[in-house]
Amino acid sequence: METEYKHLLMWYSLIVAIVGDFAVPYILARFYRGYSHKTMLMSSLGNRNSPVKTYYNAWLIVLGVLLTMAAFTLYSRYVTVSKPLSIFVAILVLIFALGAGLIAGMFSVSESKEDKTIASQIHGIGSASGFTALLFAPLFIALLSFKDSDIIAGIVCSLSFIAAFLFFMFFIMAEKTVFENTMIAREGLWQRLTLLFIYVPFGYIAVQNLIK
């Protein structure tokens, strides 16, 4: 019974992490004059001159802890399906939890991209590595789902990966000067949509296991 409660807590923690990663920036942005969800990255909320930097960076550390728990939860869920794949998924989530969560929360990004401090560079490396790693997690969760004969979950994860990868390409393109002042130059929007579709498989699996 105690083990069952622990698993339930882990799945709820994953849902809190997913919802919080959108709700926290949305709420904090209301106290950051001039902040734009469409054109500014979420990490901008934690820059050294941000009025909400303490709260956002604290959230990133909490996010890192929650997703570290989620990594072990996902491993436990799929280890009987495929140990190598379940380990790989857990590692991808851990890279994100460490890089885009804990490290990004401890080292603030600069307000301007031209202002490259050691802290901002560490933040950038950690965040980019984590984001890229998590991008491929839905693909491997899809493989695990198909292997587990969960066709619907497999399809959901596959479509989510395709959508996330597509928006990630727009996110990369938005940084190019050739797309400046065009519809593509909306880094914040593409980042959020990429993250949304990356998270869809995690949310689906969490709800699925809570219902069971």
Side-chain angles (χ1 to χ4, degrees), residues 114-141:
E114 287 72 31
D115 183 15
K116 295 183 179 180
T117 63
I118 294 177
S120 68
Q121 289 178 357
I122 293 175
H123 177 104
I125 293 172
S127 184
S129 299
F131 207 78
T132 304
L134 198 67
L135 175 65
F136 292 93
L139 176 62
F140 291 96
I141 296 176

PDB file of all heavy atoms in Angstrom, residues 114-141:
ATOM      1  N   GLU A 114      23.673  39.710 -26.089  1.00  0.00           N
ATOM      2  CA  GLU A 114      25.028  40.214 -26.320  1.00  0.00           C
ATOM      3  C   GLU A 114      25.845  40.255 -25.030  1.00  0.00           C
ATOM      4  O   GLU A 114      27.072  40.255 -25.054  1.00  0.00           O
ATOM      5  CB  GLU A 114      24.960  41.624 -26.930  1.00  0.00           C
ATOM      6  CG  GLU A 114      24.517  41.660 -28.392  1.00  0.00           C
ATOM      7  CD  GLU A 114      23.041  41.346 -28.559  1.00  0.00           C
ATOM      8  OE1 GLU A 114      22.248  41.673 -27.642  1.00  0.00           O
ATOM      9  OE2 GLU A 114      22.675  40.760 -29.598  1.00  0.00           O
ATOM     10  N   ASP A 115      25.157  40.303 -23.893  1.00  0.00           N
ATOM     11  CA  ASP A 115      25.822  40.354 -22.589  1.00  0.00           C
ATOM     12  C   ASP A 115      26.119  38.925 -22.127  1.00  0.00           C
ATOM     13  O   ASP A 115      25.337  38.306 -21.412  1.00  0.00           O
ATOM     14  CB  ASP A 115      24.931  41.080 -21.577  1.00  0.00           C
ATOM     15  CG  ASP A 115      25.611  41.223 -20.222  1.00  0.00           C
ATOM     16  OD1 ASP A 115      26.844  41.027 -20.149  1.00  0.00           O
ATOM     17  OD2 ASP A 115      24.898  41.509 -19.234  1.00  0.00           O
ATOM     18  N   LYS A 116      27.267  38.408 -22.531  1.00  0.00           N
ATOM     19  CA  LYS A 116      27.607  37.014 -22.255  1.00  0.00           C
ATOM     20  C   LYS A 116      28.498  36.902 -21.020  1.00  0.00           C
ATOM     21  O   LYS A 116      29.711  37.059 -21.089  1.00  0.00           O
ATOM     22  CB  LYS A 116      28.307  36.396 -23.467  1.00  0.00           C
ATOM     23  CG  LYS A 116      27.398  36.294 -24.695  1.00  0.00           C
ATOM     24  CD  LYS A 116      28.113  35.604 -25.847  1.00  0.00           C
ATOM     25  CE  LYS A 116      27.188  35.482 -27.057  1.00  0.00           C
ATOM     26  NZ  LYS A 116      27.846  34.804 -28.199  1.00  0.00           N
ATOM     27  N   THR A 117      27.868  36.629 -19.892  1.00  0.00           N
ATOM     28  CA  THR A 117      28.608  36.399 -18.652  1.00  0.00           C
ATOM     29  C   THR A 117      28.829  34.900 -18.493  1.00  0.00           C
ATOM     30  O   THR A 117      28.228  34.083 -19.214  1.00  0.00           O
ATOM     31  CB  THR A 117      27.825  36.926 -17.442  1.00  0.00           C
ATOM     32  OG1 THR A 117      26.597  36.187 -17.330  1.00  0.00           O
ATOM     33  CG2 THR A 117      27.509  38.406 -17.604  1.00  0.00           C
ATOM     34  N   ILE A 118      29.685  34.525 -17.557  1.00  0.00           N
ATOM     35  CA  ILE A 118      29.930  33.102 -17.302  1.00  0.00           C
ATOM     36  C   ILE A 118      28.636  32.425 -16.865  1.00  0.00           C
ATOM     37  O   ILE A 118      28.311  31.320 -17.310  1.00  0.00           O
ATOM     38  CB  ILE A 118      31.023  32.923 -16.226  1.00  0.00           C
ATOM     39  CG1 ILE A 118      32.366  33.437 -16.750  1.00  0.00           C
ATOM     40  CG2 ILE A 118      31.135  31.451 -15.815  1.00  0.00           C
ATOM     41  CD1 ILE A 118      33.492  33.377 -15.750  1.00  0.00           C
ATOM     42  N   ALA A 119      27.877  33.113 -16.002  1.00  0.00           N
ATOM     43  CA  ALA A 119      26.613  32.557 -15.505  1.00  0.00           C
ATOM     44  C   ALA A 119      25.626  32.331 -16.646  1.00  0.00           C
ATOM     45  O   ALA A 119      24.973  31.278 -16.720  1.00  0.00           O
ATOM     46  CB  ALA A 119      26.003  33.497 -14.471  1.00  0.00           C
ATOM     47  N   SER A 120      25.527  33.314 -17.558  1.00  0.00           N
ATOM     48  CA  SER A 120      24.584  33.190 -18.668  1.00  0.00           C
ATOM     49  C   SER A 120      24.996  32.089 -19.638  1.00  0.00           C
ATOM     50  O   SER A 120      24.152  31.408 -20.223  1.00  0.00           O
ATOM     51  CB  SER A 120      24.451  34.525 -19.408  1.00  0.00           C
ATOM     52  OG  SER A 120      25.647  34.858 -20.081  1.00  0.00           O
ATOM     53  N   GLN A 121      26.302  31.902 -19.809  1.00  0.00           N
ATOM     54  CA  GLN A 121      26.791  30.845 -20.695  1.00  0.00           C
ATOM     55  C   GLN A 121      26.515  29.467 -20.102  1.00  0.00           C
ATOM     56  O   GLN A 121      26.126  28.535 -20.816  1.00  0.00           O
ATOM     57  CB  GLN A 121      28.287  31.035 -20.949  1.00  0.00           C
ATOM     58  CG  GLN A 121      28.599  32.240 -21.826  1.00  0.00           C
ATOM     59  CD  GLN A 121      30.086  32.446 -22.042  1.00  0.00           C
ATOM     60  OE1 GLN A 121      30.908  31.728 -21.494  1.00  0.00           O
ATOM     61  NE2 GLN A 121      30.447  33.434 -22.831  1.00  0.00           N
ATOM     62  N   ILE A 122      26.714  29.335 -18.791  1.00  0.00           N
ATOM     63  CA  ILE A 122      26.397  28.064 -18.121  1.00  0.00           C
ATOM     64  C   ILE A 122      24.903  27.790 -18.224  1.00  0.00           C
ATOM     65  O   ILE A 122      24.485  26.666 -18.507  1.00  0.00           O
ATOM     66  CB  ILE A 122      26.830  28.112 -16.637  1.00  0.00           C
ATOM     67  CG1 ILE A 122      28.349  28.186 -16.532  1.00  0.00           C
ATOM     68  CG2 ILE A 122      26.305  26.880 -15.886  1.00  0.00           C
ATOM     69  CD1 ILE A 122      28.864  28.369 -15.121  1.00  0.00           C
ATOM     70  N   HIS A 123      24.107  28.830 -18.000  1.00  0.00           N
ATOM     71  CA  HIS A 123      22.652  28.713 -18.128  1.00  0.00           C
ATOM     72  C   HIS A 123      22.275  28.248 -19.538  1.00  0.00           C
ATOM     73  O   HIS A 123      21.461  27.339 -19.704  1.00  0.00           O
ATOM     74  CB  HIS A 123      21.991  30.062 -17.833  1.00  0.00           C
ATOM     75  CG  HIS A 123      20.501  30.063 -18.012  1.00  0.00           C
ATOM     76  ND1 HIS A 123      19.626  30.034 -16.948  1.00  0.00           N
ATOM     77  CD2 HIS A 123      19.725  30.085 -19.129  1.00  0.00           C
ATOM     78  CE1 HIS A 123      18.383  30.032 -17.401  1.00  0.00           C
ATOM     79  NE2 HIS A 123      18.419  30.069 -18.732  1.00  0.00           N
ATOM     80  N   GLY A 124      22.884  28.890 -20.536  1.00  0.00           N
ATOM     81  CA  GLY A 124      22.570  28.578 -21.925  1.00  0.00           C
ATOM     82  C   GLY A 124      22.913  27.146 -22.299  1.00  0.00           C
ATOM     83  O   GLY A 124      22.123  26.460 -22.954  1.00  0.00           O
ATOM     84  N   ILE A 125      24.070  26.698 -21.874  1.00  0.00           N
ATOM     85  CA  ILE A 125      24.502  25.325 -22.177  1.00  0.00           C
ATOM     86  C   ILE A 125      23.583  24.323 -21.492  1.00  0.00           C
ATOM     87  O   ILE A 125      23.138  23.344 -22.098  1.00  0.00           O
ATOM     88  CB  ILE A 125      25.962  25.104 -21.737  1.00  0.00           C
ATOM     89  CG1 ILE A 125      26.909  25.943 -22.590  1.00  0.00           C
ATOM     90  CG2 ILE A 125      26.341  23.617 -21.835  1.00  0.00           C
ATOM     91  CD1 ILE A 125      28.347  25.950 -22.107  1.00  0.00           C
ATOM     92  N   GLY A 126      23.295  24.572 -20.218  1.00  0.00           N
ATOM     93  CA  GLY A 126      22.438  23.664 -19.468  1.00  0.00           C
ATOM     94  C   GLY A 126      21.037  23.601 -20.034  1.00  0.00           C
ATOM     95  O   GLY A 126      20.477  22.518 -20.223  1.00  0.00           O
ATOM     96  N   SER A 127      20.486  24.767 -20.322  1.00  0.00           N
ATOM     97  CA  SER A 127      19.128  24.838 -20.846  1.00  0.00           C
ATOM     98  C   SER A 127      19.020  24.213 -22.234  1.00  0.00           C
ATOM     99  O   SER A 127      18.095  23.448 -22.512  1.00  0.00           O
ATOM    100  CB  SER A 127      18.679  26.302 -20.900  1.00  0.00           C
ATOM    101  OG  SER A 127      17.340  26.399 -21.318  1.00  0.00           O
ATOM    102  N   ALA A 128      19.965  24.530 -23.120  1.00  0.00           N
ATOM    103  CA  ALA A 128      19.945  23.993 -24.490  1.00  0.00           C
ATOM    104  C   ALA A 128      20.114  22.478 -24.490  1.00  0.00           C
ATOM    105  O   ALA A 128      19.416  21.760 -25.221  1.00  0.00           O
ATOM    106  CB  ALA A 128      21.042  24.651 -25.318  1.00  0.00           C
ATOM    107  N   SER A 129      21.039  21.985 -23.675  1.00  0.00           N
ATOM    108  CA  SER A 129      21.274  20.538 -23.594  1.00  0.00           C
ATOM    109  C   SER A 129      20.033  19.818 -23.079  1.00  0.00           C
ATOM    110  O   SER A 129      19.619  18.790 -23.625  1.00  0.00           O
ATOM    111  CB  SER A 129      22.459  20.251 -22.667  1.00  0.00           C
ATOM    112  OG  SER A 129      23.637  20.860 -23.153  1.00  0.00           O
ATOM    113  N   GLY A 130      19.442  20.384 -22.033  1.00  0.00           N
ATOM    114  CA  GLY A 130      18.259  19.764 -21.450  1.00  0.00           C
ATOM    115  C   GLY A 130      17.077  19.771 -22.393  1.00  0.00           C
ATOM    116  O   GLY A 130      16.366  18.774 -22.542  1.00  0.00           O
ATOM    117  N   PHE A 131      16.870  20.901 -23.048  1.00  0.00           N
ATOM    118  CA  PHE A 131      15.745  21.055 -23.970  1.00  0.00           C
ATOM    119  C   PHE A 131      15.866  20.079 -25.140  1.00  0.00           C
ATOM    120  O   PHE A 131      14.892  19.434 -25.536  1.00  0.00           O
ATOM    121  CB  PHE A 131      15.710  22.487 -24.482  1.00  0.00           C
ATOM    122  CG  PHE A 131      14.342  22.964 -24.886  1.00  0.00           C
ATOM    123  CD1 PHE A 131      13.421  23.351 -23.932  1.00  0.00           C
ATOM    124  CD2 PHE A 131      13.989  23.029 -26.228  1.00  0.00           C
ATOM    125  CE1 PHE A 131      12.155  23.794 -24.313  1.00  0.00           C
ATOM    126  CE2 PHE A 131      12.739  23.466 -26.610  1.00  0.00           C
ATOM    127  CZ  PHE A 131      11.814  23.858 -25.651  1.00  0.00           C
ATOM    128  N   THR A 132      17.065  19.971 -25.686  1.00  0.00           N
ATOM    129  CA  THR A 132      17.301  19.078 -26.818  1.00  0.00           C
ATOM    130  C   THR A 132      17.121  17.620 -26.413  1.00  0.00           C
ATOM    131  O   THR A 132      16.554  16.817 -27.172  1.00  0.00           O
ATOM    132  CB  THR A 132      18.721  19.276 -27.385  1.00  0.00           C
ATOM    133  OG1 THR A 132      18.904  20.654 -27.735  1.00  0.00           O
ATOM    134  CG2 THR A 132      18.942  18.413 -28.612  1.00  0.00           C
ATOM    135  N   ALA A 133      17.593  17.277 -25.227  1.00  0.00           N
ATOM    136  CA  ALA A 133      17.452  15.897 -24.742  1.00  0.00           C
ATOM    137  C   ALA A 133      15.980  15.533 -24.575  1.00  0.00           C
ATOM    138  O   ALA A 133      15.531  14.470 -25.041  1.00  0.00           O
ATOM    139  CB  ALA A 133      18.193  15.732 -23.418  1.00  0.00           C
ATOM    140  N   LEU A 134      15.222  16.414 -23.940  1.00  0.00           N
ATOM    141  CA  LEU A 134      13.814  16.107 -23.674  1.00  0.00           C
ATOM    142  C   LEU A 134      12.992  16.044 -24.954  1.00  0.00           C
ATOM    143  O   LEU A 134      11.965  15.369 -25.007  1.00  0.00           O
ATOM    144  CB  LEU A 134      13.226  17.161 -22.729  1.00  0.00           C
ATOM    145  CG  LEU A 134      11.919  16.751 -22.032  1.00  0.00           C
ATOM    146  CD1 LEU A 134      12.180  15.611 -21.061  1.00  0.00           C
ATOM    147  CD2 LEU A 134      11.299  17.940 -21.298  1.00  0.00           C
ATOM    148  N   LEU A 135      13.452  16.744 -25.994  1.00  0.00           N
ATOM    149  CA  LEU A 135      12.746  16.742 -27.274  1.00  0.00           C
ATOM    150  C   LEU A 135      12.544  15.330 -27.805  1.00  0.00           C
ATOM    151  O   LEU A 135      11.520  15.021 -28.423  1.00  0.00           O
ATOM    152  CB  LEU A 135      13.536  17.581 -28.288  1.00  0.00           C
ATOM    153  CG  LEU A 135      13.020  17.600 -29.733  1.00  0.00           C
ATOM    154  CD1 LEU A 135      11.652  18.269 -29.804  1.00  0.00           C
ATOM    155  CD2 LEU A 135      14.004  18.327 -30.641  1.00  0.00           C
ATOM    156  N   PHE A 136      13.525  14.440 -27.568  1.00  0.00           N
ATOM    157  CA  PHE A 136      13.460  13.092 -28.121  1.00  0.00           C
ATOM    158  C   PHE A 136      12.808  12.077 -27.173  1.00  0.00           C
ATOM    159  O   PHE A 136      12.598  10.926 -27.557  1.00  0.00           O
ATOM    160  CB  PHE A 136      14.866  12.620 -28.502  1.00  0.00           C
ATOM    161  CG  PHE A 136      15.439  13.374 -29.666  1.00  0.00           C
ATOM    162  CD1 PHE A 136      16.232  14.498 -29.478  1.00  0.00           C
ATOM    163  CD2 PHE A 136      15.142  12.983 -30.965  1.00  0.00           C
ATOM    164  CE1 PHE A 136      16.742  15.203 -30.553  1.00  0.00           C
ATOM    165  CE2 PHE A 136      15.646  13.677 -32.055  1.00  0.00           C
ATOM    166  CZ  PHE A 136      16.448  14.805 -31.850  1.00  0.00           C
ATOM    167  N   ALA A 137      12.476  12.518 -25.960  1.00  0.00           N
ATOM    168  CA  ALA A 137      11.836  11.611 -25.011  1.00  0.00           C
ATOM    169  C   ALA A 137      10.503  11.061 -25.529  1.00  0.00           C
ATOM    170  O   ALA A 137      10.246   9.852 -25.395  1.00  0.00           O
ATOM    171  CB  ALA A 137      11.650  12.307 -23.662  1.00  0.00           C
ATOM    172  N   PRO A 138       9.624  11.888 -26.130  1.00  0.00           N
ATOM    173  CA  PRO A 138       8.361  11.354 -26.646  1.00  0.00           C
ATOM    174  C   PRO A 138       8.541  10.241 -27.671  1.00  0.00           C
ATOM    175  O   PRO A 138       7.734   9.304 -27.736  1.00  0.00           O
ATOM    176  CB  PRO A 138       7.691  12.582 -27.289  1.00  0.00           C
ATOM    177  CG  PRO A 138       8.237  13.730 -26.518  1.00  0.00           C
ATOM    178  CD  PRO A 138       9.677  13.358 -26.255  1.00  0.00           C
ATOM    179  N   LEU A 139       9.590  10.329 -28.480  1.00  0.00           N
ATOM    180  CA  LEU A 139       9.850   9.305 -29.487  1.00  0.00           C
ATOM    181  C   LEU A 139      10.120   7.956 -28.835  1.00  0.00           C
ATOM    182  O   LEU A 139       9.573   6.927 -29.250  1.00  0.00           O
ATOM    183  CB  LEU A 139      11.035   9.718 -30.355  1.00  0.00           C
ATOM    184  CG  LEU A 139      11.506   8.702 -31.401  1.00  0.00           C
ATOM    185  CD1 LEU A 139      10.392   8.424 -32.402  1.00  0.00           C
ATOM    186  CD2 LEU A 139      12.752   9.207 -32.109  1.00  0.00           C
ATOM    187  N   PHE A 140      10.944   7.950 -27.790  1.00  0.00           N
ATOM    188  CA  PHE A 140      11.288   6.691 -27.131  1.00  0.00           C
ATOM    189  C   PHE A 140      10.158   6.184 -26.233  1.00  0.00           C
ATOM    190  O   PHE A 140      10.004   4.979 -26.048  1.00  0.00           O
ATOM    191  CB  PHE A 140      12.586   6.861 -26.341  1.00  0.00           C
ATOM    192  CG  PHE A 140      13.786   7.029 -27.232  1.00  0.00           C
ATOM    193  CD1 PHE A 140      14.270   8.285 -27.539  1.00  0.00           C
ATOM    194  CD2 PHE A 140      14.395   5.920 -27.798  1.00  0.00           C
ATOM    195  CE1 PHE A 140      15.358   8.446 -28.387  1.00  0.00           C
ATOM    196  CE2 PHE A 140      15.484   6.062 -28.652  1.00  0.00           C
ATOM    197  CZ  PHE A 140      15.965   7.327 -28.946  1.00  0.00           C
ATOM    198  N   ILE A 141       9.350   7.116 -25.714  1.00  0.00           N
ATOM    199  CA  ILE A 141       8.169   6.685 -24.961  1.00  0.00           C
ATOM    200  C   ILE A 141       7.165   6.049 -25.918  1.00  0.00           C
ATOM    201  O   ILE A 141       6.471   5.090 -25.563  1.00  0.00           O
ATOM    202  CB  ILE A 141       7.528   7.873 -24.212  1.00  0.00           C
ATOM    203  CG1 ILE A 141       8.491   8.415 -23.155  1.00  0.00           C
ATOM    204  CG2 ILE A 141       6.224   7.442 -23.540  1.00  0.00           C
ATOM    205  CD1 ILE A 141       7.983   9.643 -22.430  1.00  0.00           C
TER     206      ILE A 141
END
